[in-house]
């Protein structure tokens, strides 16, 4: 099954330090969650990798998502990543787990 954003809201957002504990996001209005903004791209990336090696997913994340993210600079650096402010990067193993589980559901 193709994962939906609500699958993330019902699981990861409830645990996210930027959430209110019940799935609602508490990021300031002028900040965007990179996971939410790039959700479809994240799903497609994880679906494409399909590996038992986490490094393959991490590499694909940097190449397919971070490379087109407004928070990454021309040198490939990201202040949000460096300060653990990106939920996608912070919870990436859990994101993989949630999305892979949904993809396996027929
Ligand atoms: S920052 Fe992203 S993952 Fe965290 S609660 Fe907000 S929308 Fe969910
Ligand atoms: S780690 Fe940085 S560049 Fe990558 S998705 Fe998150 S905010 Fe964007």
């Amino acid at each position: 099954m193709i994962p939906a954003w609500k699958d993330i809201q019902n699981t990861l957002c409830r645990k996210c330090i930027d959430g209110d504990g019940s799935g609602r996001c508490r990021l300031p209005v002028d900040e965007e969650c990179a996971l939410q903004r790039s959700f479809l791209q994240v799903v497609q990336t994880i679906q494409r990798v399909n590996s038992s090696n986490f490094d393959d997913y991490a590499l694909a994340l940097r190449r397919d998502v971070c490379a087109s993210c407004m928070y990454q600079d021309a040198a490939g650096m990201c202040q949000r990543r460096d300060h653990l402010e990106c939920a996608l990067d912070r919870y990436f193993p859990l994101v993989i787990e949630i999305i892979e589980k949904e993809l396996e559901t027929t």
Side-chain angles (χ1 to χ4, degrees):
M1 189 186 295
I2 300 298
W5 175 246
K6 71 170 173 45
D7 298 318
I8 295 292
Q9 281 181 306
N10 290 336
T11 49
L12 193 147
C13 290
R14 289 176 187 268
K15 299 179 182 180
C16 179
I17 57 167
D18 292 318
D20 69 353
S22 61
R24 279 184 292 272
C25 186
R26 297 176 69 180
L27 279 178
V29 286
D30 59 343
E31 276 186 44
E32 224 183 340
C33 171
L35 173 57
Q36 184 170 13
R37 190 188 59 242
S38 307
F39 182 63
L40 185 59
Q41 201 178 7
V42 171
V43 169
Q44 290 168 340
T45 298
I46 290 172
Q47 192 170 21
R48 218 171 19 245
V49 175
N50 190 26
S51 166
S52 56
N53 185 348
F54 174 78
D55 290 345
D56 293 338
Y57 289 96
L59 198 66
L61 171 68
R62 298 281 174 266
R63 187 190 56 221
D64 297 347
V65 181
C66 294
S68 57
C69 178
M70 63 183 177
Y71 292 114
Q72 182 164 289
D73 66 20
M77 304 300 287
C78 172
Q79 291 288 318
R80 293 187 69 80
R81 182 163 65 229
D82 290 350
H83 295 111
L84 303 179
E85 291 172 348
C86 173
L88 172 56
D89 190 73
R90 203 166 55 217
Y91 301 115
F92 194 46
L94 183 56
V95 172
I96 295 169
E97 190 183 310
I98 294 166
I99 291 177
E100 291 280 26
K101 194 171 156 196
E102 283 302 312
L103 288 170
E104 283 167 13
T105 309
T106 52

mmCIF file of all heavy atoms in Angstrom, residues 40-90:
data_model
loop_
_atom_site.group_PDB
_atom_site.id
_atom_site.type_symbol
_atom_site.label_atom_id
_atom_site.label_comp_id
_atom_site.label_asym_id
_atom_site.label_seq_id
_atom_site.Cartn_x
_atom_site.Cartn_y
_atom_site.Cartn_z
ATOM 1 N N LEU A 40 6.337 12.678 -0.461
ATOM 2 C CA LEU A 40 6.207 11.798 -1.626
ATOM 3 C C LEU A 40 7.579 11.372 -2.144
ATOM 4 O O LEU A 40 7.815 10.199 -2.458
ATOM 5 C CB LEU A 40 5.405 12.493 -2.725
ATOM 6 C CG LEU A 40 5.080 11.648 -3.956
ATOM 7 C CD1 LEU A 40 4.267 10.408 -3.573
ATOM 8 C CD2 LEU A 40 4.324 12.469 -4.999
ATOM 9 N N GLN A 41 8.482 12.327 -2.188
ATOM 10 C CA GLN A 41 9.850 12.050 -2.652
ATOM 11 C C GLN A 41 10.549 11.063 -1.693
ATOM 12 O O GLN A 41 11.288 10.176 -2.128
ATOM 13 C CB GLN A 41 10.618 13.365 -2.699
ATOM 14 C CG GLN A 41 11.826 13.350 -3.586
ATOM 15 C CD GLN A 41 12.506 14.704 -3.634
ATOM 16 O OE1 GLN A 41 12.150 15.631 -2.904
ATOM 17 N NE2 GLN A 41 13.485 14.828 -4.494
ATOM 18 N N VAL A 42 10.303 11.218 -0.402
ATOM 19 C CA VAL A 42 10.885 10.316 0.606
ATOM 20 C C VAL A 42 10.348 8.900 0.389
ATOM 21 O O VAL A 42 11.106 7.923 0.397
ATOM 22 C CB VAL A 42 10.578 10.816 2.036
ATOM 23 C CG1 VAL A 42 10.985 9.772 3.077
ATOM 24 C CG2 VAL A 42 11.288 12.136 2.307
ATOM 25 N N VAL A 43 9.047 8.782 0.181
ATOM 26 C CA VAL A 43 8.430 7.465 -0.055
ATOM 27 C C VAL A 43 9.043 6.822 -1.294
ATOM 28 O O VAL A 43 9.440 5.647 -1.278
ATOM 29 C CB VAL A 43 6.899 7.593 -0.218
ATOM 30 C CG1 VAL A 43 6.293 6.281 -0.720
ATOM 31 C CG2 VAL A 43 6.251 8.015 1.089
ATOM 32 N N GLN A 44 9.144 7.577 -2.372
ATOM 33 C CA GLN A 44 9.688 7.034 -3.627
ATOM 34 C C GLN A 44 11.142 6.615 -3.459
ATOM 35 O O GLN A 44 11.575 5.593 -3.990
ATOM 36 C CB GLN A 44 9.557 8.071 -4.743
ATOM 37 C CG GLN A 44 8.113 8.280 -5.171
ATOM 38 C CD GLN A 44 7.929 9.500 -6.068
ATOM 39 O OE1 GLN A 44 8.768 10.408 -6.093
ATOM 40 N NE2 GLN A 44 6.818 9.550 -6.789
ATOM 41 N N THR A 45 11.886 7.394 -2.684
ATOM 42 C CA THR A 45 13.305 7.075 -2.446
ATOM 43 C C THR A 45 13.433 5.764 -1.683
ATOM 44 O O THR A 45 14.205 4.878 -2.055
ATOM 45 C CB THR A 45 13.983 8.220 -1.659
ATOM 46 O OG1 THR A 45 13.916 9.412 -2.441
ATOM 47 C CG2 THR A 45 15.430 7.902 -1.343
ATOM 48 N N ILE A 46 12.670 5.620 -0.615
ATOM 49 C CA ILE A 46 12.732 4.405 0.206
ATOM 50 C C ILE A 46 12.275 3.196 -0.608
ATOM 51 O O ILE A 46 12.864 2.121 -0.540
ATOM 52 C CB ILE A 46 11.899 4.592 1.492
ATOM 53 C CG1 ILE A 46 12.605 5.604 2.398
ATOM 54 C CG2 ILE A 46 11.658 3.262 2.214
ATOM 55 C CD1 ILE A 46 11.824 6.037 3.612
ATOM 56 N N GLN A 47 11.250 3.383 -1.390
ATOM 57 C CA GLN A 47 10.718 2.295 -2.227
ATOM 58 C C GLN A 47 11.783 1.830 -3.222
ATOM 59 O O GLN A 47 11.944 0.645 -3.475
ATOM 60 C CB GLN A 47 9.489 2.795 -2.970
ATOM 61 C CG GLN A 47 8.671 1.713 -3.640
ATOM 62 C CD GLN A 47 7.351 2.254 -4.156
ATOM 63 O OE1 GLN A 47 7.201 3.452 -4.372
ATOM 64 N NE2 GLN A 47 6.386 1.392 -4.339
ATOM 65 N N ARG A 48 12.521 2.786 -3.758
ATOM 66 C CA ARG A 48 13.545 2.478 -4.756
ATOM 67 C C ARG A 48 14.737 1.732 -4.141
ATOM 68 O O ARG A 48 15.282 0.823 -4.755
ATOM 69 C CB ARG A 48 14.030 3.785 -5.393
ATOM 70 C CG ARG A 48 14.310 3.692 -6.842
ATOM 71 C CD ARG A 48 14.577 5.001 -7.547
ATOM 72 N NE ARG A 48 14.947 6.149 -6.745
ATOM 73 C CZ ARG A 48 14.194 7.245 -6.631
ATOM 74 N NH1 ARG A 48 13.030 7.332 -7.220
ATOM 75 N NH2 ARG A 48 14.604 8.276 -5.897
ATOM 76 N N VAL A 49 15.133 2.104 -2.936
ATOM 77 C CA VAL A 49 16.337 1.519 -2.328
ATOM 78 C C VAL A 49 16.110 0.053 -1.947
ATOM 79 O O VAL A 49 16.861 -0.829 -2.354
ATOM 80 C CB VAL A 49 16.782 2.331 -1.090
ATOM 81 C CG1 VAL A 49 17.948 1.644 -0.401
ATOM 82 C CG2 VAL A 49 17.173 3.746 -1.503
ATOM 83 N N ASN A 50 15.109 -0.207 -1.127
ATOM 84 C CA ASN A 50 14.757 -1.575 -0.732
ATOM 85 C C ASN A 50 15.998 -2.427 -0.403
ATOM 86 O O ASN A 50 16.287 -3.413 -1.074
ATOM 87 C CB ASN A 50 13.922 -2.233 -1.846
ATOM 88 C CG ASN A 50 13.325 -3.549 -1.379
ATOM 89 O OD1 ASN A 50 13.123 -3.731 -0.183
ATOM 90 N ND2 ASN A 50 13.050 -4.458 -2.292
ATOM 91 N N SER A 51 16.730 -2.021 0.637
ATOM 92 C CA SER A 51 17.984 -2.684 1.000
ATOM 93 C C SER A 51 17.968 -3.055 2.473
ATOM 94 O O SER A 51 17.171 -2.522 3.251
ATOM 95 C CB SER A 51 19.142 -1.712 0.715
ATOM 96 O OG SER A 51 20.328 -2.144 1.310
ATOM 97 N N SER A 52 18.855 -3.952 2.871
ATOM 98 C CA SER A 52 18.986 -4.287 4.293
ATOM 99 C C SER A 52 20.082 -3.442 4.939
ATOM 100 O O SER A 52 20.343 -3.552 6.127
ATOM 101 C CB SER A 52 19.312 -5.772 4.450
ATOM 102 O OG SER A 52 20.483 -6.073 3.710
ATOM 103 N N ASN A 53 20.699 -2.598 4.140
ATOM 104 C CA ASN A 53 21.801 -1.764 4.624
ATOM 105 C C ASN A 53 21.321 -0.322 4.814
ATOM 106 O O ASN A 53 20.959 0.350 3.851
ATOM 107 C CB ASN A 53 22.953 -1.831 3.605
ATOM 108 C CG ASN A 53 24.186 -1.088 4.092
ATOM 109 O OD1 ASN A 53 24.140 -0.342 5.068
ATOM 110 N ND2 ASN A 53 25.291 -1.301 3.397
ATOM 111 N N PHE A 54 21.342 0.166 6.054
ATOM 112 C CA PHE A 54 20.869 1.521 6.345
ATOM 113 C C PHE A 54 21.637 2.579 5.545
ATOM 114 O O PHE A 54 21.059 3.584 5.121
ATOM 115 C CB PHE A 54 20.985 1.829 7.845
ATOM 116 C CG PHE A 54 20.643 3.243 8.179
ATOM 117 C CD1 PHE A 54 19.312 3.655 8.240
ATOM 118 C CD2 PHE A 54 21.639 4.189 8.398
ATOM 119 C CE1 PHE A 54 18.980 4.984 8.520
ATOM 120 C CE2 PHE A 54 21.327 5.519 8.681
ATOM 121 C CZ PHE A 54 20.002 5.902 8.746
ATOM 122 N N ASP A 55 22.931 2.348 5.346
ATOM 123 C CA ASP A 55 23.750 3.341 4.626
ATOM 124 C C ASP A 55 23.221 3.607 3.213
ATOM 125 O O ASP A 55 23.357 4.708 2.698
ATOM 126 C CB ASP A 55 25.204 2.865 4.537
ATOM 127 C CG ASP A 55 25.888 2.895 5.898
ATOM 128 O OD1 ASP A 55 25.342 3.528 6.813
ATOM 129 O OD2 ASP A 55 26.958 2.275 6.033
ATOM 130 N N ASP A 56 22.637 2.581 2.594
ATOM 131 C CA ASP A 56 22.066 2.771 1.251
ATOM 132 C C ASP A 56 20.918 3.777 1.295
ATOM 133 O O ASP A 56 20.758 4.607 0.397
ATOM 134 C CB ASP A 56 21.543 1.435 0.698
ATOM 135 C CG ASP A 56 22.673 0.457 0.420
ATOM 136 O OD1 ASP A 56 23.819 0.900 0.242
ATOM 137 O OD2 ASP A 56 22.401 -0.761 0.399
ATOM 138 N N TYR A 57 20.121 3.706 2.364
ATOM 139 C CA TYR A 57 19.000 4.644 2.522
ATOM 140 C C TYR A 57 19.521 6.052 2.823
ATOM 141 O O TYR A 57 19.007 7.043 2.291
ATOM 142 C CB TYR A 57 18.085 4.191 3.659
ATOM 143 C CG TYR A 57 17.274 2.965 3.339
ATOM 144 C CD1 TYR A 57 17.704 1.702 3.722
ATOM 145 C CD2 TYR A 57 16.068 3.072 2.666
ATOM 146 C CE1 TYR A 57 16.956 0.567 3.435
ATOM 147 C CE2 TYR A 57 15.312 1.949 2.371
ATOM 148 C CZ TYR A 57 15.760 0.705 2.751
ATOM 149 O OH TYR A 57 15.021 -0.407 2.464
ATOM 150 N N ALA A 58 20.523 6.119 3.696
ATOM 151 C CA ALA A 58 21.073 7.424 4.072
ATOM 152 C C ALA A 58 21.671 8.122 2.849
ATOM 153 O O ALA A 58 21.467 9.327 2.643
ATOM 154 C CB ALA A 58 22.125 7.248 5.169
ATOM 155 N N LEU A 59 22.370 7.357 2.039
ATOM 156 C CA LEU A 59 22.976 7.905 0.818
ATOM 157 C C LEU A 59 21.894 8.417 -0.137
ATOM 158 O O LEU A 59 21.995 9.503 -0.714
ATOM 159 C CB LEU A 59 23.799 6.802 0.136
ATOM 160 C CG LEU A 59 24.823 7.235 -0.888
ATOM 161 C CD1 LEU A 59 25.935 8.035 -0.229
ATOM 162 C CD2 LEU A 59 25.411 6.019 -1.601
ATOM 163 N N ALA A 60 20.838 7.629 -0.283
ATOM 164 C CA ALA A 60 19.737 8.011 -1.177
ATOM 165 C C ALA A 60 19.003 9.241 -0.647
ATOM 166 O O ALA A 60 18.574 10.096 -1.429
ATOM 167 C CB ALA A 60 18.769 6.838 -1.328
ATOM 168 N N LEU A 61 18.892 9.336 0.659
ATOM 169 C CA LEU A 61 18.249 10.516 1.257
ATOM 170 C C LEU A 61 19.030 11.777 0.904
ATOM 171 O O LEU A 61 18.454 12.771 0.456
ATOM 172 C CB LEU A 61 18.171 10.353 2.780
ATOM 173 C CG LEU A 61 17.727 11.595 3.555
ATOM 174 C CD1 LEU A 61 16.264 11.923 3.274
ATOM 175 C CD2 LEU A 61 17.939 11.409 5.053
ATOM 176 N N ARG A 62 20.335 11.718 1.102
ATOM 177 C CA ARG A 62 21.182 12.887 0.786
ATOM 178 C C ARG A 62 21.092 13.223 -0.710
ATOM 179 O O ARG A 62 20.994 14.389 -1.084
ATOM 180 C CB ARG A 62 22.643 12.607 1.136
ATOM 181 C CG ARG A 62 22.893 12.330 2.584
ATOM 182 C CD ARG A 62 22.937 13.607 3.422
ATOM 183 N NE ARG A 62 23.032 13.241 4.819
ATOM 184 C CZ ARG A 62 21.985 13.114 5.643
ATOM 185 N NH1 ARG A 62 20.774 13.385 5.215
ATOM 186 N NH2 ARG A 62 22.153 12.745 6.895
ATOM 187 N N ARG A 63 21.152 12.206 -1.538
ATOM 188 C CA ARG A 63 21.200 12.413 -2.996
ATOM 189 C C ARG A 63 19.852 12.862 -3.559
ATOM 190 O O ARG A 63 19.777 13.767 -4.385
ATOM 191 C CB ARG A 63 21.637 11.112 -3.664
ATOM 192 C CG ARG A 63 21.907 11.205 -5.162
ATOM 193 C CD ARG A 63 22.083 9.833 -5.764
ATOM 194 N NE ARG A 63 20.919 8.988 -5.496
ATOM 195 C CZ ARG A 63 20.975 7.700 -5.151
ATOM 196 N NH1 ARG A 63 22.127 7.095 -5.047
ATOM 197 N NH2 ARG A 63 19.877 7.010 -4.901
ATOM 198 N N ASP A 64 18.766 12.247 -3.099
ATOM 199 C CA ASP A 64 17.464 12.486 -3.741
ATOM 200 C C ASP A 64 16.618 13.547 -3.040
ATOM 201 O O ASP A 64 15.756 14.152 -3.666
ATOM 202 C CB ASP A 64 16.655 11.181 -3.794
ATOM 203 C CG ASP A 64 17.343 10.123 -4.635
ATOM 204 O OD1 ASP A 64 18.296 10.476 -5.357
ATOM 205 O OD2 ASP A 64 16.951 8.950 -4.564
ATOM 206 N N VAL A 65 16.803 13.710 -1.749
ATOM 207 C CA VAL A 65 15.946 14.647 -1.017
ATOM 208 C C VAL A 65 16.734 15.879 -0.562
ATOM 209 O O VAL A 65 16.371 17.011 -0.902
ATOM 210 C CB VAL A 65 15.276 13.959 0.204
ATOM 211 C CG1 VAL A 65 14.369 14.934 0.943
ATOM 212 C CG2 VAL A 65 14.489 12.731 -0.243
ATOM 213 N N CYS A 66 17.823 15.665 0.165
ATOM 214 C CA CYS A 66 18.591 16.809 0.679
ATOM 215 C C CYS A 66 19.120 17.686 -0.455
ATOM 216 O O CYS A 66 19.174 18.906 -0.323
ATOM 217 C CB CYS A 66 19.749 16.331 1.547
ATOM 218 S SG CYS A 66 19.219 15.513 3.066
ATOM 219 N N ALA A 67 19.503 17.069 -1.559
ATOM 220 C CA ALA A 67 20.094 17.829 -2.669
ATOM 221 C C ALA A 67 19.134 18.870 -3.234
ATOM 222 O O ALA A 67 19.575 19.891 -3.771
ATOM 223 C CB ALA A 67 20.541 16.877 -3.775
ATOM 224 N N SER A 68 17.826 18.634 -3.090
ATOM 225 C CA SER A 68 16.870 19.615 -3.619
ATOM 226 C C SER A 68 16.144 20.353 -2.492
ATOM 227 O O SER A 68 15.146 21.032 -2.730
ATOM 228 C CB SER A 68 15.853 18.921 -4.531
ATOM 229 O OG SER A 68 15.180 17.898 -3.846
ATOM 230 N N CYS A 69 16.633 20.218 -1.281
ATOM 231 C CA CYS A 69 16.002 20.876 -0.126
ATOM 232 C C CYS A 69 16.549 22.299 0.024
ATOM 233 O O CYS A 69 17.746 22.527 -0.118
ATOM 234 C CB CYS A 69 16.299 20.066 1.139
ATOM 235 S SG CYS A 69 15.640 20.805 2.640
ATOM 236 N N MET A 70 15.670 23.209 0.354
ATOM 237 C CA MET A 70 16.081 24.619 0.452
ATOM 238 C C MET A 70 17.015 24.863 1.634
ATOM 239 O O MET A 70 17.675 25.899 1.700
ATOM 240 C CB MET A 70 14.851 25.512 0.576
ATOM 241 C CG MET A 70 14.026 25.281 1.811
ATOM 242 S SD MET A 70 12.577 26.347 1.781
ATOM 243 C CE MET A 70 11.739 25.833 3.272
ATOM 244 N N TYR A 71 17.071 23.915 2.564
ATOM 245 C CA TYR A 71 17.923 24.124 3.736
ATOM 246 C C TYR A 71 19.359 23.674 3.507
ATOM 247 O O TYR A 71 20.227 23.933 4.332
ATOM 248 C CB TYR A 71 17.353 23.371 4.941
ATOM 249 C CG TYR A 71 16.050 23.943 5.434
ATOM 250 C CD1 TYR A 71 14.861 23.221 5.358
ATOM 251 C CD2 TYR A 71 15.999 25.225 5.967
ATOM 252 C CE1 TYR A 71 13.667 23.749 5.795
ATOM 253 C CE2 TYR A 71 14.808 25.769 6.416
ATOM 254 C CZ TYR A 71 13.639 25.022 6.330
ATOM 255 O OH TYR A 71 12.461 25.560 6.764
ATOM 256 N N GLN A 72 19.622 22.953 2.412
ATOM 257 C CA GLN A 72 20.992 22.511 2.150
ATOM 258 C C GLN A 72 21.683 23.521 1.236
ATOM 259 O O GLN A 72 21.095 23.955 0.247
ATOM 260 C CB GLN A 72 21.001 21.116 1.520
ATOM 261 C CG GLN A 72 22.415 20.588 1.278
ATOM 262 C CD GLN A 72 22.459 19.087 1.019
ATOM 263 O OE1 GLN A 72 22.245 18.311 1.932
ATOM 264 N NE2 GLN A 72 22.704 18.695 -0.209
ATOM 265 N N ASP A 73 22.933 23.851 1.583
ATOM 266 C CA ASP A 73 23.636 24.842 0.766
ATOM 267 C C ASP A 73 24.414 24.167 -0.374
ATOM 268 O O ASP A 73 24.419 22.935 -0.510
ATOM 269 C CB ASP A 73 24.551 25.724 1.631
ATOM 270 C CG ASP A 73 25.707 24.946 2.263
ATOM 271 O OD1 ASP A 73 26.045 23.858 1.775
ATOM 272 O OD2 ASP A 73 26.274 25.453 3.256
ATOM 273 N N ALA A 74 25.068 24.988 -1.172
ATOM 274 C CA ALA A 74 25.762 24.494 -2.365
ATOM 275 C C ALA A 74 26.890 23.523 -2.019
ATOM 276 O O ALA A 74 27.281 22.691 -2.841
ATOM 277 C CB ALA A 74 26.306 25.675 -3.167
ATOM 278 N N ALA A 75 27.416 23.627 -0.808
ATOM 279 C CA ALA A 75 28.506 22.742 -0.380
ATOM 280 C C ALA A 75 27.973 21.446 0.229
ATOM 281 O O ALA A 75 28.747 20.609 0.694
ATOM 282 C CB ALA A 75 29.394 23.472 0.620
ATOM 283 N N GLY A 76 26.646 21.289 0.241
ATOM 284 C CA GLY A 76 26.055 20.063 0.789
ATOM 285 C C GLY A 76 25.884 20.111 2.297
ATOM 286 O O GLY A 76 25.630 19.078 2.929
ATOM 287 N N MET A 77 26.035 21.298 2.878
ATOM 288 C CA MET A 77 25.892 21.441 4.332
ATOM 289 C C MET A 77 24.457 21.843 4.679
ATOM 290 O O MET A 77 23.790 22.530 3.896
ATOM 291 C CB MET A 77 26.849 22.514 4.869
ATOM 292 C CG MET A 77 28.309 22.266 4.516
ATOM 293 S SD MET A 77 28.927 20.696 5.167
ATOM 294 C CE MET A 77 29.042 21.098 6.897
ATOM 295 N N CYS A 78 24.009 21.426 5.838
ATOM 296 C CA CYS A 78 22.659 21.777 6.282
ATOM 297 C C CYS A 78 22.709 22.110 7.769
ATOM 298 O O CYS A 78 23.032 21.264 8.597
ATOM 299 C CB CYS A 78 21.710 20.609 6.034
ATOM 300 S SG CYS A 78 20.074 20.863 6.757
ATOM 301 N N GLN A 79 22.379 23.356 8.060
ATOM 302 C CA GLN A 79 22.392 23.810 9.462
ATOM 303 C C GLN A 79 21.344 23.077 10.286
ATOM 304 O O GLN A 79 21.555 22.751 11.454
ATOM 305 C CB GLN A 79 22.107 25.318 9.524
ATOM 306 C CG GLN A 79 23.220 26.179 8.976
ATOM 307 C CD GLN A 79 24.439 26.204 9.883
ATOM 308 O OE1 GLN A 79 24.309 26.287 11.094
ATOM 309 N NE2 GLN A 79 25.614 26.103 9.298
ATOM 310 N N ARG A 80 20.197 22.804 9.667
ATOM 311 C CA ARG A 80 19.126 22.117 10.398
ATOM 312 C C ARG A 80 19.565 20.697 10.768
ATOM 313 O O ARG A 80 19.281 20.218 11.857
ATOM 314 C CB ARG A 80 17.835 22.098 9.571
ATOM 315 C CG ARG A 80 17.235 23.472 9.369
ATOM 316 C CD ARG A 80 15.880 23.409 8.707
ATOM 317 N NE ARG A 80 14.860 22.846 9.566
ATOM 318 C CZ ARG A 80 14.233 23.502 10.524
ATOM 319 N NH1 ARG A 80 14.508 24.762 10.747
ATOM 320 N NH2 ARG A 80 13.312 22.912 11.245
ATOM 321 N N ARG A 81 20.235 20.045 9.845
ATOM 322 C CA ARG A 81 20.758 18.701 10.124
ATOM 323 C C ARG A 81 21.802 18.775 11.239
ATOM 324 O O ARG A 81 21.761 17.986 12.185
ATOM 325 C CB ARG A 81 21.379 18.139 8.841
ATOM 326 C CG ARG A 81 21.909 16.725 8.985
ATOM 327 C CD ARG A 81 22.124 16.097 7.618
ATOM 328 N NE ARG A 81 23.143 16.739 6.820
ATOM 329 C CZ ARG A 81 22.998 17.113 5.557
ATOM 330 N NH1 ARG A 81 21.876 16.942 4.919
ATOM 331 N NH2 ARG A 81 23.993 17.689 4.903
ATOM 332 N N ASP A 82 22.707 19.736 11.139
ATOM 333 C CA ASP A 82 23.782 19.863 12.129
ATOM 334 C C ASP A 82 23.242 20.131 13.529
ATOM 335 O O ASP A 82 23.846 19.743 14.517
ATOM 336 C CB ASP A 82 24.746 20.993 11.728
ATOM 337 C CG ASP A 82 25.566 20.633 10.497
ATOM 338 O OD1 ASP A 82 25.527 19.452 10.087
ATOM 339 O OD2 ASP A 82 26.232 21.524 9.946
ATOM 340 N N HIS A 83 22.094 20.808 13.598
ATOM 341 C CA HIS A 83 21.518 21.143 14.912
ATOM 342 C C HIS A 83 20.362 20.218 15.297
ATOM 343 O O HIS A 83 19.588 20.535 16.199
ATOM 344 C CB HIS A 83 21.059 22.611 14.915
ATOM 345 C CG HIS A 83 22.188 23.577 14.781
ATOM 346 N ND1 HIS A 83 22.387 24.358 13.661
ATOM 347 C CD2 HIS A 83 23.230 23.857 15.607
ATOM 348 C CE1 HIS A 83 23.484 25.089 13.814
ATOM 349 N NE2 HIS A 83 24.003 24.801 14.979
ATOM 350 N N LEU A 84 20.270 19.080 14.588
ATOM 351 C CA LEU A 84 19.213 18.071 14.867
ATOM 352 C C LEU A 84 17.825 18.689 14.805
ATOM 353 O O LEU A 84 16.931 18.332 15.580
ATOM 354 C CB LEU A 84 19.439 17.414 16.241
ATOM 355 C CG LEU A 84 20.793 16.739 16.461
ATOM 356 C CD1 LEU A 84 20.880 16.151 17.863
ATOM 357 C CD2 LEU A 84 21.034 15.642 15.431
ATOM 358 N N GLU A 85 17.634 19.642 13.871
ATOM 359 C CA GLU A 85 16.340 20.315 13.755
ATOM 360 C C GLU A 85 15.496 19.768 12.613
ATOM 361 O O GLU A 85 14.392 20.258 12.374
ATOM 362 C CB GLU A 85 16.561 21.831 13.550
ATOM 363 C CG GLU A 85 17.123 22.504 14.780
ATOM 364 C CD GLU A 85 17.526 23.948 14.521
ATOM 365 O OE1 GLU A 85 17.592 24.359 13.340
ATOM 366 O OE2 GLU A 85 17.787 24.644 15.513
ATOM 367 N N CYS A 86 16.010 18.780 11.888
ATOM 368 C CA CYS A 86 15.238 18.193 10.779
ATOM 369 C C CYS A 86 14.654 16.859 11.226
ATOM 370 O O CYS A 86 15.394 15.902 11.506
ATOM 371 C CB CYS A 86 16.137 17.999 9.557
ATOM 372 S SG CYS A 86 15.291 17.093 8.239
ATOM 373 N N ALA A 87 13.326 16.788 11.286
ATOM 374 C CA ALA A 87 12.664 15.549 11.736
ATOM 375 C C ALA A 87 12.953 14.398 10.790
ATOM 376 O O ALA A 87 13.081 13.249 11.232
ATOM 377 C CB ALA A 87 11.159 15.784 11.851
ATOM 378 N N LEU A 88 13.076 14.679 9.508
ATOM 379 C CA LEU A 88 13.366 13.615 8.542
ATOM 380 C C LEU A 88 14.712 12.972 8.849
ATOM 381 O O LEU A 88 14.832 11.746 8.906
ATOM 382 C CB LEU A 88 13.355 14.191 7.110
ATOM 383 C CG LEU A 88 13.836 13.260 5.992
ATOM 384 C CD1 LEU A 88 13.038 11.969 5.966
ATOM 385 C CD2 LEU A 88 13.758 13.974 4.650
ATOM 386 N N ASP A 89 15.711 13.790 9.076
ATOM 387 C CA ASP A 89 17.049 13.263 9.364
ATOM 388 C C ASP A 89 17.089 12.629 10.769
ATOM 389 O O ASP A 89 17.650 11.555 10.948
ATOM 390 C CB ASP A 89 18.067 14.405 9.264
ATOM 391 C CG ASP A 89 19.490 13.893 9.305
ATOM 392 O OD1 ASP A 89 19.927 13.309 8.293
ATOM 393 O OD2 ASP A 89 20.149 14.049 10.349
ATOM 394 N N ARG A 90 16.451 13.285 11.713
ATOM 395 C CA ARG A 90 16.480 12.844 13.123
ATOM 396 C C ARG A 90 15.840 11.470 13.298
ATOM 397 O O ARG A 90 16.307 10.639 14.032
ATOM 398 C CB ARG A 90 15.725 13.898 13.933
ATOM 399 C CG ARG A 90 16.073 13.963 15.390
ATOM 400 C CD ARG A 90 15.530 15.240 16.004
ATOM 401 N NE ARG A 90 14.109 15.429 15.825
ATOM 402 C CZ ARG A 90 13.529 16.604 15.597
ATOM 403 N NH1 ARG A 90 14.253 17.690 15.503
ATOM 404 N NH2 ARG A 90 12.229 16.695 15.455
#
